[in-house]
Amino acid sequence: GQQVMQIPQYQHVQEGEDFTTYCNSSTTLSNIQWYKQRPGGHPVFLIQLVKSGEVKKQKRLTFQFGEAKKNSSLHITATQTTDVGTYFCADPKGGAQKLVFGQGTRLTINP
Amino acid sequence: DTAVSQTPKYLVTQMGNDKSIKCEQNLGHDTMYWYKQDSKKFLKIMFSYNNKELIINETVPNRFSPKSPDKAHLNLHINSLELGDSAVYFCASSQLAVSPLHFGNGTRLTVT
């Protein structure tokens, strides 16, 4: 079935560098959710974006929702080792009453 | 207080066996889910229940049978386990369907 496409699949950065992961959909999204999963852990909800062009910040994390509501991004400024993990976007398919996850971007950091 | 708890955390078993995973949430949510995460970290929905009623059965083999005795519990029974069933299984809950999910800690199932 249709799902959001997330890139890159892997990203390795030096501590202090920035990081961005992108989600793209071929259809308009009603909203989009972002989750973080630490190694060995479970996905944890970070944020939900609803409005076209919306930008939200959580400390060093900046989330954007595209104007056409077909793409979204998560940007981390000046990564720290605590940012290590897999970041997922998720498409709430309201009509189907299910949350469909992107493939995730696994972030590793060289201290 | 653990919001979504699932047991066991690890499950190692042989092919052909039957096993169960239990999940409980104390958040008062109406909807519960089972997700499967494979070795590539891909998260795929298996089932969802709303107030004990099955809403989604995502083309999962019928060896997998969920059961929701009440809206706070959703268990997963797996018959005739196969090697390909090895994965991490996450239980989750949400207030409404497609509301943000609260995940349990996961059950790592290894079939040998």
Side-chain angles (χ1 to χ4, degrees):
Chain A
Q2 279 185 320
Q3 65 179 86
V4 285
M5 302 304 294
Q6 192 173 351
I7 56 169
Q9 193 173 355
Y10 301 96
Q11 184 77 58
H12 180 77
V13 301
Q14 290 289 125
E15 188 175 14
E17 291 181 339
D18 293 356
F19 159 77
T20 305
T21 174
Y22 301 89
C23 271
N24 295 293
S25 171
S26 57
T27 59
T28 303
L29 302 167
S30 58
N31 61 78
I32 193 159
Q33 298 176 18
W34 285 92
Y35 292 76
K36 175 184 178 181
Q37 183 178 17
R38 293 181 187 271
H42 59 278
V44 174
F45 172 72
L46 295 176
I47 210 160
Q48 178 169 285
L49 304 173
V50 179
K51 298 177 184 175
S52 166
E54 189 170 15
V55 178
K56 286 189 176 179
K57 292 192 175 186
Q58 291 179 351
K59 298 183 181 177
R60 293 177 295 102
L61 277 60
T62 302
F63 303 85
Q64 293 192 21
F65 203 11
E67 292 289 343
K69 299 181 73 172
K70 288 187 174 183
N71 57 74
S72 181
S73 64
L74 158 57
H75 179 82
I76 304 178
T77 304
T79 54
Q80 299 174 1
T81 54
T82 53
D83 297 325
V84 164
T86 302
Y87 292 85
F88 294 95
C89 61
D91 169 18
K93 292 197 177 296
Q97 296 189 61
K98 63 181 181 182
L99 195 62
V100 176
F101 284 81
Q103 301 95 321
T105 296
R106 193 178 305 186
L107 173 63
T108 53
I109 298 174
N110 211 17
Chain B
D1 280 350
T2 304
V4 182
S5 59
Q6 56 181 106
T7 55
K9 188 170 174 59
Y10 300 98
L11 196 48
V12 181
T13 188
Q14 290 184 327
M15 283 174 55
N17 286 347
D18 305 337
K19 290 293 177 185
S20 292
I21 307 172
K22 295 186 175 183
C23 179
E24 175 182 3
Q25 55 95 4
N26 62 8
L27 296 167
H29 287 166
D30 286 338
T31 310
M32 295 186 73
Y33 311 81
W34 280 109
Y35 277 82
K36 178 180 180 181
Q37 186 170 49
D38 61 23
S39 57
K40 294 184 178 179
K41 295 290 190 183
F42 185 57
L43 271 166
K44 183 170 170 53
I45 189 167
M46 299 173 68
F47 302 102
S48 79
Y49 271 75
N50 183 271
N51 203 7
K52 302 191 298 177
E53 182 183 345
L54 179 66
I55 302 296
I56 291 172
N57 181 341
E58 195 74 359
T59 61
V60 177
N62 57 17
R63 297 183 296 104
F64 291 78
S65 50
K67 199 164 199 177
S68 182
D70 55 62
K71 76 172 195 176
H73 295 83
L74 180 60
N75 304 321
L76 183 65
H77 187 77
I78 316 170
N79 289 326
S80 303
L81 278 155
E82 300 177 356
L83 292 175
D85 297 332
S86 295
V88 180
Y89 293 84
F90 286 103
C91 175
S93 73
S94 66
Q95 182 55 51
L96 303 170
V98 308
S99 294
L101 300 184
H102 295 253
F103 283 85
N105 289 330
T107 296
R108 182 174 293 277
L109 171 65
T110 304
V111 182
T112 61

